[in-house]
Amino acid sequence: MNNTIRTRIAPSPTGSPHVGTIYLSLFNYVFAKTQQGKFILRIEDTDRERSTKKSEDEIVSSLKWSGISWDEGPDIGGPYGPYRQSERTEIYKKYCNILLEKKAAYYCFCTPERIDSIRKEQMKNKAPVVKYDGHCQHLSEEEIQEKLSNNTPYVVRMTVPKTGTCCIRDLLRGNIEINYDQVDEQILMKSDGFPTYHLASVVDDHLMNISHIIRGEEWIPSTPKHILLYDYFGWTPPVFCHFPLLRNADKSKLSKRKNPTSVSFYRRLGILPEVLLNYLGLMGWAMPGGDEMFTLQEMMENFDINRMSLSGPIFDIDKLTWLNAKYIREKLTKEDILKHLKAWQFNDDYLLSVIDLLQGRLNLLSDFIPITSPMFSGMPEYDKKLLLQENLSEEDLKTILHTTLWAMEQLTHWNKDHLYKLFNQLADHHSMKLKIFSRIFYIVLTGKEISLPLFDSMEVLGSDMCRQRIIYGINQLGGPLGKKKLQKLESKLQSLKLF
RNA sequence: GGUCCCAUCGUCUAGCGGUUUAGGACGUCGGCCUCUCACGCCGAUAACACGGGUUCGAAUCCCGUUGGGAUCACCA
């Protein structure tokens, strides 16, 4: 056994790369690198319903953009590969069988419907802990074989002791004790043959020789399952270290609904990569001397994980913006800024996609900037009176904006055709003509009543920027609707069959 | 609701038993500078959640209360 420090970031490729991923990458990276260790990227794509290659590519590109590099990963390989869990299914099967043999796990043939009903029943009876009832745990060997040979769908669940406590030794938090009666007999292997997070990450972390798991505190409650698995396998668990969660302004965990969370949004806004890293380095951590502006290098020279504070920091875009401005003013040369601008949106690819939208309506080259300004700006400026024409109340407008925002979340492919279709359905739903309906979005998304073609623009702008401008629009109208109204809206939307 | 985590200005934080009338930064509000705006500079605002201990002494240690958060999926 060697004692090299090895840390990892293990994102799941389901959607836009999250700033929290960069946050934890930063600390995993710095922690490992300041101790001559290695930092590994592993893609956790065992959820084959939601995982996409596109999202994986975006994660890799966002991480690269941020300035964090990794020693081993799906794109560069390494001695412990493959680094994509979907390519390791045979490994998980093998280890799952070991568990099965040891009776540390068992086959479960319960249908999702049954699971659902026992869960509901338990909740109705206000059971202190809602969990699997162990129905399949005591099936006889014959029963199991019979069901297996009948091809009855099954999952594999882990066995959890009925009593006793698990002690998590957390690098920052000391000992955390959790009783086993709180721990569910988690599914390890899904009926589609893919492992769940718990099995896959434990097996991989061990096989990849991960020495320290630095992850969000949301994982604390399921850590006993992981420790139990290490125990069943006879492996020494790595050191656990649970970081605080980045928060929304209302202190809840940073979420898409309440904040821009995607790295691509900040990139698109014009936050410099080194500023994002610097700012994230200020979340829960501070330089010994109190300096607020520092490079990754400087952070590493002064890093001490024990300086980490554990209360969840609110992600404050104002301060991030201030830091960005300070960098531009104090750290960059004119040439640096030019370089950044080019890499940002003044590159051939982006310019071409914009030109594609306005070739027909460009009379003079000098019209370019005024016409395309929304394609380069952050939040558009407009008079909210523009929105209030058409005899719609503020509440009507907010309803429309909220509904659209949520409908957009359901969209699997962000392109003009799908958007066109969606907007038609939405206009219909609100009993409005598309022309009237879309006018609202011309204003909210571009700040103007007359602009480039809407759906084409939205495609070029990207979902993150569009979402954010709509949220901004809602705030221009005095903020979101009340909780109850929102709930009503959401259930109404779910009953609506969009697409 | 059960379990667990956390607790210094509105926000990010310094502080790790006495050097503290609790320091810095963002924000906000004044002022100066100035061809506008910004930058910069100066100033103001504002915090140790509460209650018990421990101690000669507590923001700092312990316990309780309160508050906030996370979690309770064939998602990670």
Side-chain angles (χ1 to χ4, degrees):
Chain A
M1 211 63 201
N2 58 44
N3 45 9
T4 315
I5 305 285
R6 289 173 59 85
T7 63
R8 45 71 163 180
I9 185 77
S12 136
T14 54
S16 283
H18 198 277
V19 282
T21 304
I22 305 286
Y23 178 54
L24 283 159
S25 298
L26 170 66
F27 283 93
N28 270 287
Y29 174 87
V30 170
F31 180 78
K33 288 298 169 181
T34 49
Q35 300 174 84
Q36 291 75 48
K38 302 270 191 228
F39 171 62
I40 288 104
L41 170 65
R42 183 175 70 222
I43 298 294
E44 309 231 320
D45 56 351
T46 52
D47 179 351
R48 70 198 216 306
E49 292 263 309
R50 297 195 302 153
S51 297
T52 63
K53 184 68 170 64
K54 183 174 171 258
S55 171
E56 180 188 319
D57 293 342
E58 279 178 17
I59 288 169
V60 169
S61 110
S62 290
L63 227 35
K64 273 190 184 152
W65 170 81
S66 77
I68 301 236
S69 57
W70 46 98
D71 299 290
E72 300 162 28
D75 54 334
I76 51 173
Y80 299 89
Y83 294 90
R84 199 177 282 118
Q85 290 187 328
S86 57
E87 293 166 14
R88 300 171 65 83
T89 49
E90 288 311 310
I91 300 171
Y92 308 126
K93 261 182 205 135
K94 176 182 150 197
Y95 284 98
C96 183
N97 286 334
I98 293 175
L99 257 19
L100 247 12
E101 273 165 37
K102 288 187 173 175
K103 301 272 181 231
Y106 58 92
Y107 290 101
C108 171
F109 300 93
C110 293
T111 60
E113 290 73 34
R114 192 184 106 82
I115 303 298
D116 207 44
S117 83
I118 62 171
R119 213 190 323 271
K120 275 188 185 136
E121 184 69 15
Q122 287 176 356
M123 289 200 309
K124 207 178 89 187
N125 297 338
K126 296 206 166 87
V129 187
V130 175
K131 56 181 184 177
Y132 181 63
D133 63 356
H135 179 82
C136 290
Q137 187 162 24
H138 305 294
L139 255 33
S140 69
E141 199 53 42
E142 294 73 47
E143 285 172 298
I144 294 171
Q145 285 312 322
E146 190 198 321
K147 285 185 192 283
L148 285 178
S149 58
N150 286 345
N151 283 327
T152 312
Y154 67 90
V155 299
V156 176
R157 286 181 184 274
M158 68 182 292
T159 310
V160 175
K162 299 279 173 285
T163 57
T165 68
C166 174
C167 180
I168 305 167
R169 279 175 234 289
D170 189 282
L171 184 61
L172 258 17
R173 294 165 199 257
N175 291 174
I176 301 171
E177 292 191 345
I178 296 176
N179 282 325
Y180 283 124
D181 62 16
Q182 295 294 321
V183 182
D184 195 7
E185 306 219 288
Q186 253 293 327
I187 291 177
L188 258 21
M189 203 52 103
K190 300 181 265 187
S191 57
D192 64 3
F194 278 74
T196 57
Y197 171 87
H198 308 284
L199 210 218
S201 77
V202 165
V203 167
D204 287 348
D205 285 335
H206 178 258
L207 260 26
M208 293 179 182
N209 246 308
I210 300 302
S211 65
H212 297 255
I213 295 181
I214 301 174
R215 57 167 28 162
E217 68 174 320
E218 54 195 333
W219 290 106
I220 293 175
S222 53
T223 305
K225 294 168 193 168
H226 307 157
I227 291 180
L228 217 42
L229 287 175
Y230 281 101
D231 201 38
Y232 289 152
F233 286 123
W235 298 336
T236 311
V239 177
F240 290 98
C241 178
H242 292 97
F243 263 43
L245 260 20
L246 263 20
R247 316 282 189 102
N248 297 313
D250 67 2
K251 301 229 181 211
S252 58
K253 119 173 146 175
L254 194 63
S255 68
K256 203 172 158 186
R257 285 269 169 106
K258 295 175 182 167
N259 254 308
T261 56
S262 104
V263 182
S264 35
F265 172 79
Y266 293 99
R267 185 175 175 177
R268 177 67 180 65
L269 237 203
I271 296 294
L272 307 175
E274 60 268 42
V275 173
L276 183 61
L277 243 36
N278 185 160
Y279 179 69
L280 256 12
L282 251 20
M283 302 273 87
W285 192 80
M287 276 287 207
D291 286 346
E292 294 200 291
M293 189 160 62
F294 48 81
T295 62
L296 184 55
Q297 192 55 42
E298 286 160 344
M299 180 177 177
M300 295 208 284
E301 280 157 18
N302 292 280
F303 189 69
D304 175 5
I305 199 164
N306 292 119
R307 290 183 59 79
M308 199 62 207
S309 100
L310 263 15
S311 54
I314 291 170
F315 192 86
D316 178 5
I317 300 176
D318 280 347
K319 187 150 179 176
L320 172 63
T321 304
W322 163 79
L323 192 63
N324 204 59
K326 197 169 158 72
Y327 263 71
I328 291 175
R329 252 181 273 123
E330 298 176 12
K331 279 203 140 177
L332 302 185
T333 63
K334 290 184 190 66
E335 290 72 22
D336 291 335
I337 295 170
L338 180 66
K339 229 161 69 189
H340 270 115
L341 277 169
K342 284 182 174 170
W344 176 64
Q345 302 283 260
F346 291 100
N347 54 67
D348 290 357
D349 278 357
Y350 189 73
L351 252 17
L352 231 32
S353 66
V354 173
I355 290 167
D356 192 40
L357 304 190
L358 90 163
Q359 190 167 11
R361 58 200 88 202
L362 189 65
N363 299 326
L364 295 164
L365 293 180
S366 55
D367 290 337
F368 183 81
I369 296 287
I371 293 178
T372 62
S373 65
M375 307 308 290
F376 295 88
S377 58
M379 296 305 119
E381 273 182 43
Y382 49 88
D383 189 332
K384 88 174 193 190
K385 279 187 208 135
L386 277 179
L387 283 170
L388 292 166
Q389 296 168 18
E390 312 298 353
N391 280 330
L392 289 166
S393 68
E394 290 198 4
E395 186 158 333
D396 292 338
L397 282 164
K398 284 191 218 174
T399 303
I400 288 170
L401 294 177
H402 271 121
T403 309
T404 307
L405 201 56
W406 293 344
M408 280 173 11
E409 283 174 13
Q410 317 295 322
L411 216 55
T412 43
H413 298 282
W414 187 264
N415 62 46
K416 57 181 177 182
D417 295 333
H418 286 244
L419 286 163
Y420 178 70
K421 210 171 148 193
L422 181 70
F423 272 61
N424 264 299
Q425 287 173 325
L426 287 169
D428 210 42
H429 169 63
H430 292 287
S431 314
M432 291 169 79
K433 284 198 159 168
L434 181 64
K435 191 176 176 177
I436 310 286
F437 183 76
S438 58
R439 184 179 166 278
I440 298 164
F441 290 90
Y442 273 101
I443 295 161
V444 168
L445 291 170
T446 71
K448 310 188 224 185
E449 290 176 272
I450 297 158
S451 190
L452 298 170
L454 186 63
F455 307 118
D456 298 72
S457 304
M458 288 175 77
E459 184 178 327
V460 174
L461 237 26
S463 63
D464 296 312
M465 184 51 82
C466 291
R467 282 180 48 79
Q468 219 40 56
R469 287 186 185 178
I470 292 175
I471 290 170
Y472 179 78
I474 291 170
N475 290 136
Q476 291 301 100
L477 291 166
L481 253 23
K483 237 182 179 168
K484 278 185 186 163
K485 282 178 183 161
L486 286 181
Q487 278 177 357
K488 246 187 186 166
L489 256 187
E490 196 164 13
S491 60
K492 202 169 154 192
L493 184 69
Q494 274 169 356
S495 62
L496 212 75
K497 285 205 182 76
L498 297 164
F499 279 81

